[in-house]
């Protein structure tokens, strides 16, 4: 295929003069006449962060912050982002969970050529689904995501959702030592197991922050797991909290319950009733506090639970006529030894390990689907480690599991549990070559990725 031509930065000097300030980002609040378009200039550049007081961490940032600038779009409208690479390495942006044309999907050598240092690339697409999404590179992912190139993408509903208050909480656990220096993003013996974990957990770049919320109101918390490895076991003891959406897709609201396992790449939209002024809630990962939610007095009348969010326009798979395909997620002990020629491969799907150094892997898709065909995928985890299995370009419906009761719902990422088999279904209505991979980044980089072609 041919790629959209990369642009070199020279032509942008004028723009720099008109408004790229220290933060490096400009967001046009004004919209072009007769159109309702959001326009961003998004710069990726090095940025020193103080994650540990008194120490600096040489992070990489989007829009002058890590996690990156929150990008907001409106459902059904265009999102146009001019992405400017001021890093000294090639990169791309992938828009996780957005059903968009392949040329905008950010996969190197499949969607586009990498954006080289000093170049820019214009991403332009419509956002068919409202919800909580995110963006990140698809090049050298353990380092690039590890250094902070992850950011929220919020697509607002067409009509006001009924939530008067909302907050975005981007979770990330940094691979840094006590002095703020980066430690290894991927360690072979960890990559071959649950993935390499960082040490400092943060929300919006702060460890155990306090968030002030208006007393008596129902607040939408968009909680995004932008981490490369960790599944957070979210709980909010003593809170009145309901789940409104999973991975951007609305569900019939239900209680949060005891705990929700949010794997890498996954998102949850919670409605939380803020308690009386002065009270506190603790958002936790298992027994560990992630954030303190503080209730502040407000003059507003007590808020009500909003109606369920409107469903997104995702095609309904017909299970009767669907063709069944099987995908086994395997641990590959025989290949586990480190190999001088290319990256180690610890994982495979149906006997095939993806090689991130081989630019031609996507020429050999693991499955070819007919455009508008209906499919059931049976995903089997042959090992004991969790795999948040993610598919680009298409939403899928989770139908059933051999390990737990499923209330069917649409998503882009399913957390495949220990030795679990799950059935998911989809309509292949978006032509392209779509990456299908585990979102534990070092699993992905050591084999657990494949391409699924829709023609
Ligand atoms: Cu967040 Cu290939 O995806
Ligand atoms: Cu994705
Ligand atoms: Cu995995």
């Amino acid at each position: 295929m041919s790629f959209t031509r990369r642009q070199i930065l020279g032509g942008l000097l004028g723009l720099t003069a008109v408004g790229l300030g220290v933060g490096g980002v400009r967001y046009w609040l004004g919209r072009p006449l007769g159109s309702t378009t959001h326009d961003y200039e998004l710069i990726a550049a090095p940025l020193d962060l103080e994650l540990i007081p008194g120490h600096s961490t040489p992070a990489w940032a989007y829009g002058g912050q890590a996690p990156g600038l929150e990008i907001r779009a409106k459902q059904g409208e265009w999102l146009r982002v001019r992405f400017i690479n001021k890093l000294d390495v090639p990169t791309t942006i992938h828009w996780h969970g957005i059903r968009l044309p392949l040329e905008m999907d950010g996969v190197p050598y499949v969607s586009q050529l990498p954006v080289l240092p000093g170049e820019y690339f214009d991403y332009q697409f419509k956002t068919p689904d409202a919800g909580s999404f995110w963006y990140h590179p698809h090049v050298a992912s353990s380092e690039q995501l590890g250094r902070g190139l992850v950011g929220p993408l919020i697509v607002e509903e067409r009509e006001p959702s009924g939530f008067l208050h909302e907050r975005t909480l981007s979770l990330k656990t940094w691979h840094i030592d006590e002095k703020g220096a980066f430690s290894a993003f991927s360690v072979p013996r960890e990559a071959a197991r649950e993935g390499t974990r960082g040490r400092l957990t943060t929300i919006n770049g702060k460890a155990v922050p306090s968030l002030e919320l208006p007393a008596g109101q129902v607040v939408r918390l968009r909680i995004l797991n932008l981490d490369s490895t960790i599944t957070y076991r979210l709980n909010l003891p003593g809170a009145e909290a309901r789940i409104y959406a999973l991975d951007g897709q609305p569900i019939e609201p239900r209680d949060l319950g005891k705990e929700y396992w949010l794997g890498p790449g996954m998102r949850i939209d919670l409605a939380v009733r803020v308690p009386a002024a002065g009270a506190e809630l603790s958002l936790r990962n298992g027994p560990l506090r992630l954030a303190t939610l503080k209730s502040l007095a407000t003059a507003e009348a007590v808020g009500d639970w909003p109606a369920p969010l409107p469903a997104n326009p995702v095609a309904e798979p017909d299970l009767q006529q669907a063709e069944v395909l099987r995908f086994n997620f395997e641990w590959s002990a025989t290949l586990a030894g480190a190999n001088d020629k290319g990256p180690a491969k610890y994982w495979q799907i149906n006997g095939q390990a993806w090689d991130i150094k081989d630019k031609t892997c996507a020429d050999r898709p693991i499955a070819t689907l007919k455009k508008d065909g209906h499919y059931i995928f049976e995903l089997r985890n042959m090992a004991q480690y969790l795999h948040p299995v993610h598919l680009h370009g298409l939403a899928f419906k989770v139908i059933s599991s051999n390990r737990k009761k499923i209330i069917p719902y649409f998503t882009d990422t399913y957390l495949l549990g220990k030795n679990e088999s799950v059935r998911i279904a989809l309509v292949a209505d978006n032509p392209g070559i779509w990456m299908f991979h585990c979102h534990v980044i070092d699993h992905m980089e050591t084999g657990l990725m494949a391409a699924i072609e829709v023609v």
Side-chain angles (χ1 to χ4, degrees):
M1 80 179 281
S2 67
F3 296 109
T4 310
R5 183 179 293 274
R6 290 166 295 170
Q7 313 285 337
I8 47 169
L9 204 51
L12 276 176
L13 290 175
L15 285 178
T16 310
V18 289
L20 295 177
V22 186
V25 163
R26 190 176 55 159
Y27 172 29
W28 284 276
L29 289 164
R31 295 172 177 188
L33 263 188
S35 137
T36 47
T37 312
H38 294 66
D39 281 304
Y40 285 84
E41 272 178 14
L42 185 68
I43 293 175
L47 178 73
D48 289 340
L49 292 183
E50 193 175 323
L51 293 168
I52 298 199
H55 296 283
S56 125
T57 298
W60 293 348
Y62 282 132
Q65 56 185 85
L69 177 80
E70 177 170 306
I71 293 180
R72 293 190 85 97
K74 256 221 154 61
Q75 182 175 21
E77 296 181 7
W78 285 93
L79 173 61
R80 302 191 308 197
V81 178
R82 171 156 295 181
F83 170 59
I84 303 170
N85 182 7
K86 291 193 177 175
L87 300 167
D88 57 13
V89 293
T91 188
T92 59
I93 297 185
H94 168 64
W95 310 91
H96 182 121
I98 304 291
R99 299 185 294 130
L100 41 56
L102 181 64
E103 316 82 79
M104 295 291 130
D105 199 41
V107 177
Y109 308 106
V110 174
S111 301
Q112 64 173 111
L113 296 171
V115 184
L116 299 180
E119 293 185 337
Y120 74 89
F121 186 90
D122 285 332
Y123 290 99
Q124 311 193 336
F125 49 86
K126 282 186 175 171
T127 46
D129 303 325
S132 303
F133 301 95
W134 66 295
Y135 63 98
H136 60 80
H138 231 281
V139 176
S141 300
S142 54
E143 175 170 27
Q144 296 199 5
L145 277 68
R147 283 182 180 264
L149 295 177
V150 296
L153 166 56
I154 305 303
V155 182
E156 296 169 357
E157 289 78 15
R158 289 171 200 270
E159 306 295 334
S161 65
F163 284 97
L164 301 175
H165 304 274
E166 67 168 66
R167 299 279 191 282
T168 304
L169 278 58
S170 295
L171 286 164
K172 176 171 169 59
T173 298
W174 298 79
H175 296 77
I176 54 174
D177 65 17
E178 7 8 280
K179 296 216 160 107
F182 280 115
S183 50
F185 298 110
S186 180
V187 175
R189 66 180 304 279
E190 301 302 320
R193 295 179 172 78
E194 64 165 11
T196 307
R197 298 168 78 95
R199 278 205 206 83
L200 180 74
T201 298
T202 59
I203 291 186
N204 302 343
K206 302 230 164 20
V208 206
S210 284
L211 306 172
E212 296 181 339
L213 300 175
Q217 301 299 302
V218 174
V219 176
R220 180 179 190 169
L221 297 183
R222 301 174 182 267
I223 305 176
L224 291 76
N225 183 349
L226 307 190
D227 194 58
S228 299
T229 309
I230 295 177
T231 293
Y232 300 96
R233 300 172 180 196
L234 294 180
N235 62 88
L236 255 172
E240 271 186 87
R242 296 183 190 171
I243 307 174
Y244 270 61
L246 294 173
D247 307 319
Q249 303 291 346
I251 63 165
E252 187 56 39
R254 63 169 187 259
D255 282 344
L256 170 62
K258 208 171 132 258
E259 193 164 76
Y260 184 83
W261 288 27
L262 193 71
M266 296 165 70
R267 297 84 66 205
I268 185 172
D269 284 47
L270 283 183
V272 176
R273 155 96 58 207
V274 182
E280 282 183 11
L281 292 171
S282 161
L283 175 65
R284 306 192 314 177
N285 168 25
L288 306 172
R289 184 182 291 237
L290 293 168
T292 305
L293 311 183
K294 293 204 161 129
S295 174
L296 281 197
T298 163
E300 280 175 81
V302 167
D304 215 343
W305 296 98
L309 298 166
N312 283 319
V314 180
E316 186 67 38
D318 175 350
L319 302 182
Q320 302 312 316
Q321 65 155 97
E323 184 182 333
V324 179
L325 303 175
R326 292 190 177 79
F327 298 95
N328 291 342
F329 290 75
E330 300 149 342
W331 186 67
S332 131
T334 49
L335 297 171
N339 174 350
D340 305 335
K341 308 188 220 89
K345 298 189 189 102
Y346 303 122
W347 303 96
Q348 53 192 19
I349 304 177
N350 292 352
Q352 292 183 45
W354 185 273
D355 180 348
I356 49 167
K357 293 267 148 52
D358 179 353
K359 298 182 179 71
T360 70
C361 276
D363 300 344
R364 298 179 295 282
I366 199 163
T368 298
L369 314 185
K370 281 194 271 330
K371 162 108 169 53
D372 296 323
H374 294 239
Y375 293 89
I376 291 173
F377 290 5
E378 281 188 13
L379 314 180
R380 289 179 68 198
N381 186 353
M382 314 299 283
Q384 60 179 303
Y385 301 106
L386 301 176
H387 299 301
V389 177
H390 170 54
L391 177 62
H392 289 204
L394 300 159
F396 57 83
K397 190 169 197 173
V398 184
I399 304 295
S400 64
S401 158
N402 67 339
R403 305 290 285 215
K404 59 183 187 220
K405 185 172 175 296
I406 299 282
I407 304 167
Y409 67 102
F410 285 105
T411 180
D412 53 63
T413 308
Y414 180 77
L415 184 64
L416 193 57
K418 175 179 177 175
N419 299 114
E420 183 180 7
S421 291
V422 69
R423 284 156 63 89
I424 65 174
L426 58 83
V427 182
D429 55 4
N430 194 8
I433 295 170
W434 302 114
M435 295 303 113
F436 181 48
H437 64 85
C438 176
H439 227 289
V440 169
I441 299 300
D442 49 10
H443 289 178
M444 170 181 114
E445 292 196 325
T446 55
L448 218 49
M449 179 149 71
I452 292 191
E453 180 181 37
V454 178
V455 280

